[in-house]
């Protein structure tokens, strides 16, 4: 089975964006605006149409079977509004993901957005973890290391304020994908620098911390191929040795890297540096890069091709990357092989 561990609902019906724009206008007029959750009226047929013409079509064309699916990352917008509007927005987003997975149970499995906000205790996101896992059958969460949207003025992932989230993750045996949202700082392009920089930063924060000592069963996914991490593995090994510990021993029981890398040589480097047991197949489609590579004639984000074409991997290692590693990390996934 070919499982894509990193997909986002980027093709939501227009009513979703309209709801968010109303929220934005309300908090622009009153930063303390609370409001209420309200409703987003979307029919099942509208959801089916948004998926069949997009993610489902590409699944079928590219030979993948199942996508682990979460809300649109750039729309999480944790820097927008306040903890109340973020909670309502997050609940709607997760409710929509559940509806997609109910309508296409053989093709999509749910991962949750969290209602993080700048300056708000991360522990306040725990109730949404409980709701989505216990009541809605979600498999994991996306965890934003920078709810400020590019200003990085909050706590590190190493900070004990995140420990209630880690405790709940271990209790439920669910992973977190470290994933920022849109950048509101003009110094950063959201998908070209903010995402990749956050991947690298999240890895560095965790490797230098006691998080994995305190939570030896914690499972963290660094997306987009790990940002700069594989390319600079020697730098991180050296930093670890300077601190008196071995990098591989510190991180490779807990951290996994996905394959959202959009050229063959990039994937080949990832596979050469990172053990195959720590690599999870992913494409992020329909996501950051949607076009066709003129050098190959194939879509940049058709990442299955890069795994298939890698000559260093055995057939067994490819099966691990495509399926077995993902089932191990997302242990709550129950879709038959």
């Amino acid at each position: 089975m070919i499982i894509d561990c990193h997909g986002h609902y980027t093709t939501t019906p227009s009513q979703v964006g309209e709801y968010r724009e109303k929220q934005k206008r309300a908090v622009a007029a009153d930063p303390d605006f609370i409001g209420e959750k309200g409703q987003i009226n979307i029919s099942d047929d509208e959801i089916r149409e948004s998926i069949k013409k997009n993610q489902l079509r590409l699944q079928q064309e590219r030979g993948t079977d199942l996508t682990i699916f979460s809300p649109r990352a750039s729309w999480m917008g944790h820097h927008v509004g306040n903890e109340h509007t973020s909670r309502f927005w997050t609940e709607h987003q997760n409710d929509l993901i559940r509806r997609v997975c109910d309508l296409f149970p053989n093709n999509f499995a749910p991962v949750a957005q969290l209602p993080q906000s700048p300056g708000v205790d991360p522990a306040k996101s725990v109730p949404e973890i409980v709701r989505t896992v216990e009541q809605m059958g979600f498999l994991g969460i996306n965890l934003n290391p920078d709810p400020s949207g590019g200003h990085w003025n909050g706590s590190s992932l190493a900070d004990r304020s995140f420990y209630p989230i880690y405790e709940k993750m271990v209790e439920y045996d669910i992973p977190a994908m470290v994933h920022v949202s849109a950048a509101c700082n003009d110094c950063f392009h959201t998908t070209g620098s903010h995402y990749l920089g956050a991947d690298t930063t999240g890895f560095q924060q965790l490797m230098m911390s006691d998080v994995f000592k305190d939570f030896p069963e914690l499972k963290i996914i660094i997306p987009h191929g790990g940002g700069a991490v594989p390319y600079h593995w020697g730098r991180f090994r050296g930093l670890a040795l300077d601190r008196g510990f071995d990098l591989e021993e510190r991180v490779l029981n807990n951290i996994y890297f996905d394959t959202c890398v959009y050229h063959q040589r990039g994937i080949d480097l990832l596979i050469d540096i990172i053990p195959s047991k720590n690599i999870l197949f992913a494409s992020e489609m329909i996501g950051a890069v949607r076009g066709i590579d003129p050098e190959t004639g194939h879509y940049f984000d058709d990442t299955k091709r890069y795994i298939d074409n890698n000559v260093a991997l055995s057939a067994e290692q490819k099966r691990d990357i495509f399926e077995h590693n993902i089932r191990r990390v997302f242990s709550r996934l129950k879709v038959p092989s």
Side-chain angles (χ1 to χ4, degrees):
M1 192 172 189
I2 310 297
I3 303 174
D4 183 340
C5 79
H6 186 171
H8 297 297
Y9 194 8
T10 55
T11 59
T12 51
S14 61
Q15 297 95 307
V16 179
E18 291 166 3
Y19 174 94
R20 186 58 162 167
E21 289 306 312
K22 288 181 181 178
Q23 269 198 334
K24 289 180 180 179
R25 288 193 295 270
V27 295
D30 176 9
D32 296 322
F33 173 78
I34 296 177
E36 58 184 4
K37 181 176 178 179
Q39 293 183 334
I40 304 178
N41 295 313
I42 301 171
S43 69
D44 286 352
D45 284 343
E46 288 176 298
I47 292 176
R48 288 190 187 97
E49 183 178 10
S50 73
I51 293 293
K52 284 182 177 179
K53 292 182 177 181
N54 296 292
Q55 289 87 354
L56 188 62
R57 173 180 61 84
L58 291 174
Q59 274 188 1
Q60 295 167 346
E61 290 177 0
R62 298 177 185 183
T64 61
D65 299 301
L66 176 77
T67 300
I68 295 176
F69 210 47
S70 65
R72 185 174 184 171
S74 64
W75 276 21
M76 293 191 296
H78 295 121
H79 60 282
V80 175
N82 53 54
E83 64 177 295
H84 307 288
T85 55
S86 182
R87 177 167 63 87
F88 298 144
W89 170 241
T90 294
E91 288 177 1
H92 273 304
Q93 292 291 79
N94 290 334
D95 292 347
L96 275 172
I97 292 297
R98 183 65 266 176
R99 290 181 66 186
V100 170
C101 296
D102 287 342
L103 291 169
F104 300 94
N106 295 322
N107 301 99
F108 299 93
V111 159
Q113 171 180 322
L114 297 184
Q116 298 173 253
S117 289
V120 175
D121 187 350
K124 290 192 173 183
S125 288
V126 169
E128 185 65 2
I129 299 176
V130 174
R131 183 181 84 99
T132 53
V133 174
E134 291 192 3
Q135 299 178 27
M136 302 169 70
F138 277 52
L139 310 178
I141 59 174
N142 288 340
L143 181 62
N144 191 341
D146 175 36
S148 74
H151 293 287
W152 291 94
N153 52 16
S155 300
S156 161
L157 292 176
D159 191 83
R160 297 188 70 88
S161 61
F162 281 95
Y163 274 32
I165 290 177
Y166 301 151
E167 289 169 359
K168 193 57 68 173
M169 288 171 57
V170 171
E171 176 187 342
Y172 288 150
D173 193 23
I174 59 171
M177 178 175 285
V178 173
H179 208 308
V180 289
S181 186
C184 62
N185 183 337
D186 290 340
C187 293
F188 303 111
H189 181 276
T190 291
T191 56
S193 63
H194 187 43
Y195 280 14
L196 304 183
D199 302 334
T200 309
T201 300
F203 176 86
Q204 183 272 328
Q205 290 175 352
L206 291 167
M207 68 163 274
M208 292 292 194
S209 76
D210 290 330
V211 168
F212 299 137
K213 292 181 182 178
D214 295 335
F215 299 96
E217 297 178 351
L218 195 67
K219 294 180 290 190
I220 298 290
I221 302 165
I222 307 293
H224 318 114
V229 174
Y231 186 74
H232 284 290
W233 195 250
R235 177 182 292 257
F236 289 110
R237 284 183 57 243
L239 290 170
L241 290 172
D242 288 345
R243 293 288 190 97
F245 64 88
D246 180 85
L247 179 63
E248 286 83 356
E249 291 180 0
R250 174 65 63 90
V251 304
L252 290 183
N253 290 323
N254 304 91
I255 290 184
Y256 301 85
F257 302 81
D258 80 12
T259 64
C260 293
V261 179
Y262 294 150
H263 65 138
Q264 186 68 53
R265 286 185 291 176
I267 287 286
D268 293 345
L269 172 67
L270 175 68
I271 289 167
D272 184 48
I273 300 297
I274 303 299
S276 60
K277 70 181 181 66
N278 293 86
I279 300 176
L280 311 179
F281 172 65
S283 71
E284 205 181 4
M285 68 93 178
I286 299 169
V289 180
R290 305 187 184 191
I292 292 175
D293 184 346
E295 295 182 1
T296 67
H298 299 283
Y299 284 95
F300 281 100
D301 63 359
D302 185 1
T303 55
K304 180 178 180 294
R305 298 178 52 83
Y306 308 138
I307 307 299
D308 289 336
N309 293 338
N310 182 273
V311 297
L313 292 171
S314 67
E316 181 179 1
Q317 288 173 315
K318 290 180 181 180
R319 285 193 295 269
D320 287 343
I321 291 171
F322 282 133
E323 178 180 10
H324 300 152
N325 295 345
I326 296 172
R327 288 186 180 275
R328 177 161 46 87
V329 173
F330 291 89
S331 64
R332 302 178 78 93
L333 179 62
K334 303 303 180 186
V335 176
S337 299

